[in-house]
Amino acid sequence: MSDQITVLRCLSPLVMAKTWKSDGTIEPYSRAKNFHFDQHGVADIHDLSALLKVLERDERACIIRGQPVDTTTPGEVVRRRVEHFDDRPLHSVLIEVDEFAPLIAHPLLEPLDTAQEFIAEHLPSAFHDVSFHWQLSNSAGAPGKESVFKGHLWFFLSDPYDSATLRAWANSIDLQADTSVFNIVQCHFTSLPVFEPGRADPVPVRSGFHQGKK
């Protein structure tokens, strides 16, 4: 039941995190083309959450769904292209919420409650009352976006699915989330944002784990 999670790391000085600059602007993710990669085994949502907590402190790291083909060697520099990675089934899945306007919870002060509100409103019942890892996106709390939830919800499914199946499922239920993460080489951004001196984070807590009933 274990997944092998593919972690990419861009080459320094590029970063896979947004930088909140001291002049009030937000610099986007670097447009990296070359990466080192490795893989991490996760057996359940607890393992997945532990990996994500480590990666949030690694500003050069991100995750993709793709699994390296046999000719792709760990440690070598690789381009983030489909010819280097296969679409193999995973239990791990990211639901990326772009701009959800909650009716009850405050998206910055009560991010977990907001995440649960989104799950109850927009995801099938199989996602209700289960454990998940949540993380606000790098742009959460940006000026003009204080009233919306921008975040990543990670689940560990009982059965593994490949990316093609997940895309078909998302279309069948008109999933109100960013379905580009179901492409095998699409970056799943995992790092916390970088804050330059003099720029404070407006969000008290940016990530956490929710222990569900199952």
Side-chain angles (χ1 to χ4, degrees):
M1 188 174 177
S2 179
D3 281 355
Q4 291 295 316
I5 303 298
T6 303
V7 176
L8 303 182
R9 287 182 174 85
C10 63
L11 307 184
S12 181
L14 303 182
V15 294
M16 305 305 288
K18 291 185 177 180
T19 301
W20 292 50
K21 299 178 72 65
S22 55
D23 63 6
T25 61
I26 299 177
E27 187 174 285
Y29 305 101
S30 298
R31 300 183 66 178
K33 295 182 179 180
N34 298 308
F35 298 84
H36 292 289
F37 82 92
D38 57 11
Q39 290 196 290
H40 297 262
V42 298
D44 53 27
I45 188 61
H46 300 283
D47 284 354
L48 178 59
S49 179
L51 174 62
L52 292 168
K53 289 299 290 184
V54 171
L55 294 180
E56 71 178 26
R57 300 294 178 182
D58 187 344
E59 63 190 30
R60 294 194 296 114
C62 67
I63 285 173
I64 60 171
R65 289 190 57 83
Q67 304 291 293
V69 299
D70 292 339
T71 55
T72 305
T73 305
E76 71 179 1
V77 175
V78 64
R79 301 294 289 271
R80 187 170 55 87
R81 292 177 174 173
V82 293
E83 57 261 35
H84 299 304
F85 299 93
D86 283 336
D87 184 12
R88 300 175 193 165
L90 293 173
H91 300 85
S92 309
V93 64
L94 166 62
I95 304 296
E96 183 167 328
V97 185
D98 192 13
E99 294 194 2
F100 171 62
L103 296 176
I104 302 172
H106 190 290
L108 302 185
L109 302 180
E110 301 169 302
L112 174 56
D113 292 340
T114 306
Q116 291 177 303
E117 190 175 333
F118 172 86
I119 292 168
E121 184 172 339
H122 290 297
L123 293 184
S125 59
F127 290 86
H128 300 179
D129 299 322
V130 302
S131 300
F132 63 92
H133 181 97
W134 62 269
Q135 182 184 47
L136 295 184
S137 73
N138 276 206
S139 57
K145 302 294 185 180
E146 297 90 347
S147 63
V148 294
F149 179 80
K150 301 170 72 66
H152 302 166
L153 308 179
W154 288 86
F155 298 90
F156 199 86
L157 307 176
S158 56
D159 296 311
Y161 295 97
D162 62 21
S163 297
T165 302
L166 289 174
R167 287 196 300 273
W169 165 75
N171 289 333
S172 72
I173 67 168
D174 189 23
L175 181 65
Q176 299 300 296
D178 185 354
T179 58
S180 68
V181 293
F182 300 144
N183 297 325
I184 64 171
V185 293
Q186 179 70 22
C187 290
H188 297 28
F189 294 107
T190 53
S191 173
L192 295 174
V194 176
F195 292 89
E196 288 190 344
R199 191 76 185 273
D201 189 349
V203 180
V205 181
R206 282 194 172 263
S207 69
F209 177 78
H210 172 68
Q211 178 63 57
K213 296 180 181 178
K214 49 186 177 179

